[in-house]
Amino acid sequence: MSRIPLIAGNWKMNNTRKETLDFLSSFLPKAENLSVEIVICPPFTSLNTAAEKLEGTKVKLGAQNMHWEENGAFTGEVSPLMLKEIPCDYVIIGHSERRQYFAETDETVNNKIKSAIEHNLTPIVCVGETLAQREEGITLDFVMGQVEKALKDVAAEDAKKIVFAYEPIWAIGTGKTASASDAQEVIGAIRNKIEELYDKDVADVVRILYGGSVKPENIKELMAEDDIDGALVGGASLKPDSFYAICSFNI
Ligand code: PEP
């Protein structure tokens, strides 16, 4: 089964509209020769600016979060309809920073996934363990629990549209990357879990990314693993040169 590699850049709370334009002016001309699927996820305030600049290019646009309702009294939130109108193609859901600092739970993650799919946005669903959980030896149990709860009441045809990102929390922004074989172990287990919850047909289609201090120096090794279909990149996606070096790992 061949799955198209996906490299997504999560800019977090970085890049004003001007900085977004500067990044894209430098990155887009180089990106034309890339064969992987590329997504950039700027902050909400830069989505519109990025969308205009990305029109007619191969690079897709994603948001970093959304509410599951279409509208209503949810001060400070952004809805799937608003993202679709930009237009965004992707939305990151359940990033560990949202779980840790903004009270995101497995239940809200599940609501958001179902809403994103209903609105034709591809969810990039983040899962991953803390350092304490890894040291306790409960990584697989914990992450498989997150996957199962994320997929509650999601039909097989919809599950196929989801992208998962395995992001060990101890590797995010720390410079510590999981070894390619550790990442493969968890990502392979996620694929087996999807097969157990649905069937092989679904498990073969779902793309699963690795995230956590991905850089030009380690992307090749990660992508050589059977079940790793791409990367969710934080820090190294902020500079056009390093993001391009990651996106061109197979050239
Ligand atoms: C992330 O925030 O999704 C991430 C993986 O960050 P970094 O690449 O900086 O570790």
Side-chain angles (χ1 to χ4, degrees):
M1 175 76 222
S2 71
R3 295 174 292 268
I4 298 169
L6 170 63
I7 307 287
N10 172 18
W11 287 1
K12 311 192 187 193
M13 197 173 69
N14 293 292
N15 285 345
T16 60
R17 292 192 302 162
K18 180 184 179 308
E19 287 161 344
T20 298
L21 285 176
D22 290 347
F23 176 98
L24 291 174
S25 299
S26 161
F27 179 73
L28 286 177
K30 296 191 270 214
E32 279 311 297
N33 69 338
L34 295 172
S35 58
V36 300
E37 190 175 348
I38 304 160
V39 181
I40 58 151
C41 303
F44 289 133
T45 45
S46 289
L47 285 175
N48 205 36
T49 303
E52 283 171 11
K53 193 85 180 160
L54 293 180
E55 216 180 310
T57 75
K58 297 197 297 198
V59 177
K60 296 186 177 150
L61 188 63
Q64 299 173 17
N65 181 35
M66 61 169 227
H67 198 281
W68 58 89
E69 296 287 355
E70 291 188 343
N71 45 53
F74 301 105
T75 303
E77 292 291 306
V78 166
S79 90
L81 288 182
M82 295 165 186
L83 296 183
K84 226 23 230 184
E85 189 190 39
I86 292 279
C88 288
D89 307 293
Y90 284 80
V91 58
I92 298 173
I93 289 178
H95 190 280
S96 60
E97 287 152 14
R98 300 235 38 107
R99 293 181 191 253
Q100 197 179 346
Y101 307 130
F102 303 100
E104 188 85 84
T105 65
D106 288 322
E107 197 189 349
T108 58
V109 166
N110 176 250
N111 288 340
K112 290 179 182 190
I113 291 170
K114 288 187 283 196
S115 173
I117 294 170
E118 200 183 308
H119 291 90
N120 237 347
L121 288 157
T122 301
I124 301 177
V125 181
C126 302
V127 294
E129 81 286 2
T130 62
L131 184 58
Q133 288 165 329
R134 175 155 284 262
E135 284 171 352
E136 225 186 296
I138 58 168
T139 295
L140 290 182
D141 277 355
F142 179 75
V143 175
M144 296 319 122
Q146 285 184 315
V147 170
E148 190 160 355
K149 288 175 208 149
L151 292 171
K152 185 168 176 275
D153 300 328
V154 176
E157 280 313 302
D158 289 340
K160 285 182 180 175
K161 298 174 189 159
I162 297 174
V163 174
F164 276 97
Y166 166 56
E167 299 209 308
I169 294 171
W170 48 270
I172 296 180
T174 58
K176 284 188 209 155
T177 321
S179 70
S181 63
D182 282 347
Q184 164 62 33
E185 186 194 4
V186 180
I187 289 176
I190 294 174
R191 201 174 300 288
N192 291 340
K193 183 76 193 172
I194 295 170
E195 181 169 347
E196 183 192 308
L197 293 170
Y198 299 96
D199 55 30
K200 187 161 167 20
D201 189 33
V202 178
D204 278 348
V205 169
V206 172
R207 287 184 290 181
I208 311 175
L209 317 180
Y210 167 77
S213 298
V214 172
K215 24 185 190 265
E217 296 77 41
N218 57 26
I219 183 70
K220 260 203 174 88
E221 194 192 343
L222 290 159
M223 292 304 294
E225 296 290 342
D226 282 352
D227 287 296
I228 303 182
D229 302 317
L232 182 55
V233 187
S237 72
L238 291 172
K239 294 261 170 341
D241 286 351
S242 56
F243 193 51
Y244 176 77
I246 292 169
C247 294
S248 58
F249 72 90
N250 60 350
I251 294 181

